[in-house]
Amino acid sequence: MKRIFKLSLSITLPILMSSCGGKLTEITSAPSTQDRAGIIASCATVEQAKSYAQTNNARYRIINAKRKIIEFYDTDLETLKTQLPQVKTRTNTVYEHQLVQSGFPSIQSTSNYEFYGAHSPQYRQGDVSRYFPHLSQVEAQTINSAAQGEGVTIAVIDTGVYYNHPHLSSNIKVNNNDPHGSDGDNQDSDGNGFRDDFVGWDFYNGDAYPIDDHGHGTHVAGLAAGTYGGIAPKAKVLPVKVLGSDGRGDLGTIAAGILYAIDMGADIVNLSLGGPAAGQASSDINQLLGSVVQADNNNVLLVAAAGNGGVDGVGDCNDANPVYPASFEQENVISVASVDRYNSITSYSNFGSESVHVAAPGGDEFFGGLLSLGVPGCYGPCSSEDQTYVSMSGTSMAAPVVSGIAALVKSANRNLTHTQIKEILMGQGIEVADLADKVQSSKVVNAKMAVAEALNR
Ligand SMILES: [Ca+2]
Ligand SMILES: [Ca+2]
Ligand SMILES: [Ca+2]
Ligand SMILES: [Ca+2]
């Protein structure tokens, strides 16, 4: 069981490219698909990279100067390890592959068999509610089959999305005007500023492969729109990676991700991330606010996790201590708290009768997390074992339940505006007396009621 209670934010400095001349070995933009056989090195300084590149006739790209993450090309692992013994290395090829739209994904992993094996019988047969009790808790299984999220795009702004997952790949929003992989021409074919952005964009690493190297974003995407067990099984997911493999990122990158999602036609933006306003530069908060306002002007609903209680993991009141982006007061933001299987607020969930709008199932320590998609062979905090499905808990999980229901509502009635959808989500739910001082609506969201209301309008 994996639980992620907290995705924190930290401020990173802009990546500063040195101003001195003659840096023939430094690559200053994201490399082409053909270059993706690089080696990612962490704990390496820019100075070390420069000197290593010169000595070994290699090239390098600074991914994050502050965190000392450098990608090397035209060199090999052994030489790197010998000359820079303190660096941690991994090749950057495993996850950087094109979307496979039909059949099984071509994962370059030695344990593909395990992956497919785990996915075969147990999750394809039997009662869905046995594995996904949150679906029946919000009555998402009993909805009109005409409204399953068709034609609606949910941008998942997160650690990336494992877009080749067999229970997600057919729901990935692809940009046929700018293919990548073997069809990619390494040009920004649609002129939107992002080269070969076929399946969204990786703002964290600056490339066209927003694959998930953490596990969080894939889980979130599956909850909202997995083809099996997702709330809106026919909605599209736009992967936008803004957080690193450590689950951290900065407000400016998140703002850029939101603007990209708006440009690419997202109807709903899921933000299972956030951090306290304290300690953030006001210019960064203003930049994020600017993207929220831009979304509002473009009829885009932002669904944000209320947060998981800060350092002590005990839920805090967002009315007193705002968390961004959930606490922005714009009409198009809906902030989500987490309840357990019996509609009681979970111990970790932030709350606020003014600033938190609705509650949704998010999993907890007593009844377990919500089951959703996993990432095979994921690095970092993920398990090193291939996992097709994993359990996680948090307001990060409650938010995509709401995003999924928002997609159902929008597919039931395309004419609804983002604020009308928010009004329906807040008005059509299960009233819980104990939630009266916790969330503005006093309700747990309900898909059946919300879709019925959408069809009536
Ligand atoms: Ca493009
Ligand atoms: Ca192209
Ligand atoms: Ca990437
Ligand atoms: Ca707390």
Side-chain angles (χ1 to χ4, degrees):
M1 293 287 235
K2 285 179 59 63
R3 290 196 182 88
I4 293 187
F5 286 115
K6 182 165 177 283
L7 267 195
S8 51
L9 291 172
S10 65
I11 297 296
T12 54
L13 294 168
I15 299 169
L16 297 169
M17 297 302 180
S18 165
S19 58
C20 58
K23 298 182 274 73
L24 294 174
T25 51
E26 182 181 346
I27 303 169
T28 53
S29 65
S32 70
T33 310
Q34 289 73 27
D35 277 337
R36 294 314 292 179
I39 298 167
I40 300 274
S42 47
C43 311
T45 66
V46 173
E47 288 70 30
Q48 284 170 327
K50 208 177 280 183
S51 134
Y52 180 87
Q54 275 161 7
T55 310
N56 297 282
N57 199 24
R59 294 178 299 154
Y60 67 96
R61 181 170 74 104
I62 301 164
I63 291 178
N64 191 312
K66 190 185 175 192
R67 295 203 195 89
K68 300 182 183 174
I69 302 171
I70 314 274
E71 186 166 11
F72 290 96
Y73 304 91
D74 308 329
T75 187
D76 62 87
L77 215 54
E78 280 314 305
T79 315
L80 202 60
K81 278 181 174 165
T82 311
Q83 294 185 27
L84 297 176
Q86 76 282 20
V87 307
K88 290 179 181 154
T89 53
R90 64 176 173 89
T91 53
N92 197 18
T93 52
V94 178
Y95 294 114
E96 305 284 14
H97 48 80
Q98 69 188 103
L99 176 73
V100 179
Q101 282 266 60
S102 57
F104 284 110
S106 60
I107 305 159
Q108 276 103 57
S109 155
T110 50
S111 40
N112 277 355
Y113 176 80
E114 292 295 318
F115 180 52
Y116 301 134
H119 131 268
S120 38
Q122 121 198 51
Y123 295 115
R124 279 206 305 239
Q125 293 167 5
D127 182 7
V128 176
S129 63
R130 184 175 158 199
Y131 301 107
F132 309 102
H134 63 277
L135 289 180
S136 40
Q137 190 177 347
V138 299
E139 293 194 272
Q141 285 179 279
T142 49
I143 52 153
N144 188 330
S145 60
Q148 296 192 1
E150 298 91 332
V152 180
T153 298
I154 304 168
V156 173
I157 305 217
D158 214 290
T159 59
V161 172
Y162 179 45
Y163 40 75
N164 284 331
H165 194 292
H167 290 169
L168 191 64
S169 62
S170 60
N171 278 353
I172 296 296
K173 168 97 166 172
V174 297
N175 173 12
N176 288 313
N177 296 323
D178 204 352
H180 66 40
S182 53
D183 297 329
D185 55 4
N186 200 25
Q187 303 290 326
D188 180 19
S189 310
D190 58 354
N192 68 347
F194 301 94
R195 190 168 61 182
D196 289 356
D197 59 324
F198 183 53
V199 287
W201 193 256
D202 179 347
F203 284 87
Y204 191 84
N205 298 310
D207 63 56
Y209 300 84
I211 204 80
D212 189 0
D213 51 8
H214 180 285
H216 187 270
T218 302
H219 197 269
V220 164
L223 287 169
T227 57
Y228 181 73
I231 297 273
K234 292 185 178 168
K236 294 291 183 192
V237 167
L238 176 68
V240 182
K241 181 170 169 66
V242 298
L243 304 174
S245 57
D246 58 357
R248 298 172 79 86
D250 62 89
L251 298 182
T253 307
I254 295 165
I258 293 172
L259 294 177
Y260 177 78
I262 298 166
D263 284 349
M264 298 310 284
D267 301 289
I268 297 149
V269 170
N270 190 88
L271 295 157
S272 288
L273 47 78
Q280 307 282 1
S282 59
S283 59
D284 290 333
I285 292 175
N286 282 337
Q287 198 181 349
L288 186 59
L289 176 60
S291 69
V292 171
V293 170
Q294 186 80 355
D296 199 15
N297 294 338
N298 283 276
N299 202 22
V300 177
L301 182 68
L302 304 181
V303 181
N308 302 325
V311 284
D312 62 358
V314 178
D316 305 319
C317 180
N318 286 4
D319 294 351
N321 302 296
V323 165
Y324 293 126
S327 297
F328 283 128
E329 291 175 16
Q330 269 54 39
E331 277 300 305
N332 60 325
V333 177
I334 183 163
S335 172
V336 183
S338 165
V339 290
D340 66 16
R341 206 167 283 183
Y342 296 114
N343 287 344
S344 295
I345 194 141
T346 56
S347 60
Y348 60 78
S349 181
N350 287 1
F351 54 88
S353 59
E354 299 284 323
S355 63
V356 181
H357 300 98
V358 294
D364 72 290
E365 56 194 305
F366 301 110
F367 300 105
L370 305 194
L371 191 69
S372 181
L373 310 182
V375 176
C378 193
Y379 292 107
C382 298
S383 166
S384 59
E385 294 164 21
D386 287 356
Q387 291 179 302
T388 317
Y389 280 83
V390 291
S391 288
M392 294 187 191
S393 297
T395 55
S396 284
M397 283 63 243
V401 169
V402 174
S403 290
I405 297 175
L408 299 178
V409 167
K410 181 86 179 179
S411 67
N413 184 348
R414 293 281 325 170
N415 296 324
L416 294 171
T417 65
H418 58 334
T419 48
Q420 286 174 319
I421 295 171
K422 179 178 173 183
E423 183 193 318
I424 289 172
L425 291 170
M426 289 182 68
Q428 306 298 314
I430 302 296
E431 182 104 28
V432 178
D434 287 349
L435 289 178
D437 60 347
K438 297 287 193 283
V439 298
Q440 202 187 105
S441 68
S442 314
K443 294 186 183 73
V444 174
V445 288
N446 186 281
K448 189 180 180 182
M449 294 166 74
V451 168
E453 174 67 15
L455 291 169
N456 269 337
R457 293 212 180 185

